[in-house]
Amino acid sequence: QQQVKQSPQSLIVQKGGISIINCAYENTAFDYFPWYQQFPGKGPALLIAIRPDVSEKKEGRFTISFNKSAKQFSLHIMDSQPGDSATYFCAAGAAGGTSYGKLTFGQGTILTVHP
Amino acid sequence: GAGVSQSPSNKVTEKGKDVELRCDPISGHTALYWYRQSLGQGLEFLIYFQGNSAPDKSGLPSDRFSAERTGGSVSTLTIQRTQQEDSAVYLCASSFRTGGHNEQFFGPGTRLTVL
């Protein structure tokens, strides 16, 4: 019940295209859904995050869409650029109890944007 | 100071040896997390510290793994009698506080290779 399932495992997009990565969760206690971006040899860095009281959040070219009833959320990268090539992780967290702040991560998506 | 720092960046050890991995969180951050990232996998939660106490040790894979945090700052993750399956990148993250969900800032990780 703690799993977060992420797809696809890898994604190749042409420059200027839209990249879409999907995640699904089971634990209805999750109330925080961040996306992290990781470049080789670096630690993950927070890209954008959403809470379940909204269905969409946009920051620049990055948008999270959230479907609470389906327990799914996705990351859309508009006008994808070669510099966006990285591994993207979705995650989910639940407030309260002894798991406060702990994040459960998806398996990651390797995004390659061709020039 | 700067971001989260971890040392060593790389560690190669022989099966059966003990290793210590160090994490220096961002100054003033009270929460500290350890995760493990195996090749091609997402991040696996290991342990979380609030100050010097560890309310959630649920992710430690076996009793060969232990962690401590002193002075509310530096944390050490110790793996005793290392096994080849312990080979992974060990990531540390810190966040300002645990009230609500706060951004976790990740270090660059320690790549552990057990021969």
Side-chain angles (χ1 to χ4, degrees):
Chain A
Q1 196 178 17
Q2 292 294 321
Q3 281 188 330
V4 175
K5 296 181 180 179
Q6 183 173 347
S7 63
Q9 284 188 308
S10 62
L11 180 61
I12 299 174
V13 175
Q14 291 297 121
K15 178 182 176 181
I18 302 174
S19 304
I20 301 175
I21 304 171
N22 300 297
C23 285
Y25 64 97
E26 298 175 353
N27 187 349
T28 55
F30 286 145
D31 63 353
Y32 174 65
F33 303 90
W35 284 88
Y36 281 81
Q37 179 187 55
Q38 185 179 32
F39 293 104
K42 306 289 187 183
L46 180 67
L47 192 60
I48 186 173
I50 197 169
R51 298 183 192 276
D53 53 344
V54 296
S55 60
E56 185 175 283
K57 182 174 181 181
K58 183 176 181 179
E59 290 184 1
R61 296 185 293 108
F62 301 92
T63 299
I64 298 180
S65 297
F66 183 79
N67 186 328
K68 187 174 181 178
S69 61
K71 292 186 285 186
Q72 295 176 347
F73 58 110
S74 60
L75 175 69
H76 294 232
I77 306 175
M78 311 299 290
D79 186 26
S80 300
Q81 300 296 312
D84 297 331
S85 298
T87 300
Y88 292 81
F89 293 96
C90 63
T98 58
S99 297
Y100 213 59
K102 164 187 168 183
L103 293 175
T104 299
F105 283 83
Q107 299 302 301
T109 296
I110 301 172
L111 172 65
T112 303
V113 182
H114 286 317
Chain B
V4 177
S5 61
Q6 293 186 246
S7 60
S9 56
N10 282 284
K11 177 71 176 179
V12 180
T13 190
E14 293 180 348
K15 177 182 174 181
K17 300 282 189 182
D18 298 352
V19 295
E20 284 190 353
L21 312 179
R22 176 188 169 106
C23 172
D24 258 295
I26 293 173
S27 178
H29 280 194
T30 60
L32 186 147
Y33 308 83
W34 283 98
Y35 295 89
R36 178 168 71 174
Q37 184 174 22
S38 301
L39 186 63
Q41 301 294 311
L43 280 71
E44 173 191 12
F45 170 79
L46 297 179
I47 189 169
Y48 148 66
F49 286 92
Q50 173 56 37
N52 291 334
S53 65
D56 190 352
K57 302 179 182 180
S58 63
L60 292 178
S62 75
D63 58 8
R64 296 185 297 102
F65 287 73
S66 64
E68 66 176 10
R69 189 181 185 193
T70 55
S73 182
V74 172
S75 176
T76 303
L77 177 69
T78 301
I79 310 173
Q80 296 179 309
R81 305 180 304 281
T82 52
Q83 303 295 311
Q84 289 182 333
E85 61 262 29
D86 300 334
S87 296
V89 176
Y90 289 82
L91 290 160
C92 173
S94 70
S95 66
F96 181 62
R97 55 185 172 89
T98 55
H101 286 287
N102 296 279
E103 178 177 356
Q104 293 185 22
F105 293 83
F106 282 82
T110 293
R111 181 175 297 278
L112 175 65
T113 303
V114 182
L115 301 177

